């Protein structure tokens, strides 16, 4: 058993695998803090509502590609930190196996190629894991009126732009401001950061909120 442990340790600390091995430490700490309740899965201010990162302008090719990728991996329900940790573990496992079988000399160029190829099964396995965990995270989000009673409240646009496909709004709250994933209703004029809005309704399936510009309500 001891020789096997030493072999695994030597492989994990080899130049081609070490960067991924070092990232496992913060990942383990993240999961521990989540399980003991001192950190929330959605602590990073990223728009998960439509299955992707809020790209700011909501219309760039890069932003659209990122939104598609995370929707593909069930990022519309499973938070990005969780998906990232799963992908890291699968990528680490892939590079470990790849370097064990195809890079005995620990060549850095070969290690980089292996790491690139390892992304393919890592993405596929992350998608499968997200699919399995989707019901659990969907249940953890709760329902409108229990976890996030914000319908009818006023707030300000926090993202670079708020339109029909992307955006975030900071809702006024007596204790602490609430950051929600928001969308404008079809046909609405896009709004800029800092504009006042009011929350109109909640889409439970996608966990996003539809808002209207405040002056439209008051007029």
């Amino acid at each position: 058993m001891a020789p096997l442990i030493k072999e695994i340790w030597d492989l994990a600390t080899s130049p081609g695998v070490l960067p991924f091995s070092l990232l496992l430490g913060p990942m383990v700490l993240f999961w521990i803090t989540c399980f003991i309740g001192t950190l929330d899965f959605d602590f990073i201010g990223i728009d998960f509502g439509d299955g992707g990162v809020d790209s700011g302008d909501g219309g760039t090719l890069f932003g659209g590609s990122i939104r598609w990728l995370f929707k593909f991996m069930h990022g519309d329900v499973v938070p990005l930190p969780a998906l990232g940790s799963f992908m890291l573990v699968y990528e680490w496992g892939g590079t470990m196996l790849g370097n064990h079988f195809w890079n005995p000399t620990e060549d850095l160029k070969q290690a980089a190629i292996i790491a690139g190829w390892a992304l393919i099964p890592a993405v596929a396995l992350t998608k499968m894991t997200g699919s399995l965990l989707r019901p659990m995270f969907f249940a953890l989000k709760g329902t409108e009126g229990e976890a996030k009673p914000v319908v009818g409240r006023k707030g300000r646009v926090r993202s670079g732009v708020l339109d029909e496909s992307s955006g975030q709004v900071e809702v006024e709250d007596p204790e602490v401001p609430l950051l929600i994933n928001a969308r404008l209703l079809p046909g609405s004029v896009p709004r800029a950061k800092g504009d006042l809005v009011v929350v109109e309704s909640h889409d439970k399936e996608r966990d996003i909120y539809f808002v209207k510009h405040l002056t439209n309500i008051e007029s």
Side-chain angles (χ1 to χ4, degrees), residues 86-118:
F86 300 143
M87 180 172 288
L88 173 61
V89 170
Y90 296 138
E91 175 71 8
W92 178 80
T95 56
M96 285 277 288
L97 291 173
N99 281 274
H100 174 72
F101 289 107
W102 297 294
N103 191 21
T105 61
E106 299 184 358
D107 179 72
L108 288 178
K109 183 177 180 180
Q110 180 69 8
I113 295 174
I114 291 172
W117 279 105

Side-chain angles (χ1 to χ4, degrees), residues 145-159:
E146 297 175 357
K148 302 176 181 179
V150 300
V151 172
R153 296 193 191 185
K154 301 176 183 179
R156 290 186 179 274
V157 178
R158 276 287 304 275
S159 51

Side-chain angles (χ1 to χ4, degrees), residues 156-162 189-197 213:
R156 290 186 179 274
V157 178
R158 276 287 304 275
S159 51
V161 68
L162 172 67
V189 177
R191 297 298 169 181
K193 185 175 183 179
D195 284 355
L196 287 169
V197 295
H213 191 226

Side-chain angles (χ1 to χ4, degrees), residues 150 152-156 170-172 196-199 214 218:
V150 300
R153 296 193 191 185
K154 301 176 183 179
R156 290 186 179 274
E170 184 179 277
V171 177
E172 301 172 359
L196 287 169
V197 295
V198 63
V199 181
L214 190 58
E218 295 176 338

Side-chain angles (χ1 to χ4, degrees), residues 6-146:
K6 184 179 184 305
E7 183 179 353
I8 294 175
W9 172 261
D10 290 341
L11 182 59
T13 55
S14 63
V17 184
L18 182 60
F20 300 104
S21 299
L22 292 176
L23 289 174
L24 292 178
M27 185 208 72
V28 171
L29 180 62
F30 163 75
W31 279 99
I32 291 175
T33 53
C34 285
F35 280 122
I36 65 178
T38 59
L39 184 65
D40 189 89
F41 277 111
D42 289 325
F43 76 102
I44 299 178
I46 296 178
D47 182 350
F48 297 108
D50 246 358
V53 177
D54 182 1
S55 62
D57 58 10
T60 64
L61 177 61
F62 177 76
S65 300
I66 293 295
R67 284 195 296 272
W68 177 88
L69 177 61
F70 283 99
K71 187 173 183 179
F72 173 77
M73 292 192 295
H74 303 282
D76 54 335
V77 174
V78 183
L80 176 60
L83 285 176
S85 64
F86 300 143
M87 180 172 288
L88 173 61
V89 170
Y90 296 138
E91 175 71 8
W92 178 80
T95 56
M96 285 277 288
L97 291 173
N99 281 274
H100 174 72
F101 289 107
W102 297 294
N103 191 21
T105 61
E106 299 184 358
D107 179 72
L108 288 178
K109 183 177 180 180
Q110 180 69 8
I113 295 174
I114 291 172
W117 279 105
L119 278 174
I120 298 176
V123 169
L125 290 170
T126 301
K127 173 181 171 59
M128 183 176 66
T129 304
S131 177
L132 294 174
L133 295 178
R134 182 184 177 93
M136 182 190 75
F137 280 103
F138 190 82
L140 289 175
K141 286 177 178 289
T143 59
E144 165 57 23
E146 297 175 357

